[in-house]
């Protein structure tokens, strides 16, 4: 199963357009999780205590773990995230906060080292930037999580940048990015 995590809030998103072209190349069968309409909640004290108690019991039957299970079971993952404020939309961080569940997406060895439990062989991170793209706090973060903590061996960046800079043809840049997939 291919899981498409769409964090693009705009209906005419260039990032989503590139991601959908990638999904078509990977195969039209995928499950989309549209974060702007998902109703994600931050882990406040009450939810965190409930979650911690359930994890300590090894009880993952609560619906609060459904997104983590879905993520862990995916064979491939595509994330679309526009480049905002040198990172990505806060909804994506909120999603990660909710799915990073010890016992579902990762576990820790006796020495404290992380071991990923996710099935996915590859994670694709699709982004667009109005100016130059710097991956440190967006793709860099996602790649480190995927490979070091979640057990996903390959993380691939697909980007289109300089889309809002005068003198650059945004439509041509998007088209070229899609053609290179």
């Amino acid at each position: 199963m291919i899981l498409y995590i769409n964090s693009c809030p705009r209906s005419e998103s260039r990032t989503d357009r590139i991601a959908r072209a990638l999904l078509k190349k990977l195969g039209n069968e995928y499950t989309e999780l549209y974060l702007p309409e998902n109703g994600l909640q931050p882990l406040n004290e009450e939810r965190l205590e409930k979650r911690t108690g359930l994890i300590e019991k090894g009880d993952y039957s609560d619906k609060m773990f459904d997104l983590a299970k879905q993520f862990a079971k995916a064979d491939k993952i595509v994330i679309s995230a526009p480049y905002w404020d040198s990172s990505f939309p806060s909804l994506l961080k909120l999603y990660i906060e909710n799915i990073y569940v010890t016992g579902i997406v990762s576990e820790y060895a006796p020495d404290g080292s992380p071991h990923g439990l996710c099935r996915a062989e590859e994670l694709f991170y699709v982004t667009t930037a109005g100016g130059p793209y710097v991956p440190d706090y967006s793709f860099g973060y996602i790649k480190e999580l995927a490979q070091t903590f979640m057990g996903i061996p390959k993380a691939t960046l697909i980007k289109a940048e300089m889309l809002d800079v005068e003198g650059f043809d945004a439509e041509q840049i998007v088209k070229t990015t899609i053609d290179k997939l």
Side-chain angles (χ1 to χ4, degrees), residues 84-96:
W84 285 7
D85 302 323
S86 299
S87 186
F88 44 70
S90 60
L91 277 174
L92 182 54
K93 176 61 174 109
L94 189 56
Y95 172 77
I96 293 165

Side-chain angles (χ1 to χ4, degrees), residues 44 55 84 122 135:
N44 60 20
I55 291 170
W84 285 7
E122 187 167 10

Side-chain angles (χ1 to χ4, degrees), residues 109-130:
D111 68 356
S113 61
H115 173 72
L117 300 174
C118 294
R119 181 186 318 179
E121 296 175 11
E122 187 167 10
L123 179 145
F124 297 90
Y125 186 85
V126 180
T127 193
T128 56

Side-chain angles (χ1 to χ4, degrees), residues 100-113:
Y100 194 82
V101 178
T102 304
I104 297 177
V105 300
S106 71
E107 64 185 4
Y108 293 92
D111 68 356
S113 61

Side-chain angles (χ1 to χ4, degrees), residues 10-93:
R10 292 187 176 118
S11 60
E12 297 296 321
S13 168
R14 298 175 291 201
T15 311
D16 180 53
R17 190 169 137 209
I18 296 167
R20 289 188 189 281
L22 172 64
L23 288 162
K24 186 174 182 179
K25 182 179 178 185
L26 294 174
N28 285 322
E29 297 293 320
Y30 62 89
T31 298
E32 180 174 355
L33 181 60
Y34 183 56
L35 297 184
E37 294 179 354
N38 191 268
L40 289 168
Q41 296 292 314
L43 293 175
N44 60 20
E45 185 173 5
E46 179 184 326
R47 291 185 76 237
L48 190 57
E49 285 181 16
K50 176 182 176 182
R51 176 176 136 146
T52 300
L54 291 169
I55 291 170
E56 286 173 354
K57 293 177 190 172
D59 179 1
Y60 301 102
S61 62
D62 193 279
K63 68 179 182 171
M64 74 180 340
F65 299 118
D66 289 353
L67 292 176
K69 291 176 191 175
Q70 179 187 49
F71 187 90
K73 290 179 183 176
D75 298 309
K76 289 185 194 243
I77 298 166
V78 175
I79 297 174
S80 64
Y83 186 58
W84 285 7
D85 302 323
S86 299
S87 186
F88 44 70
S90 60
L91 277 174
L92 182 54
K93 176 61 174 109

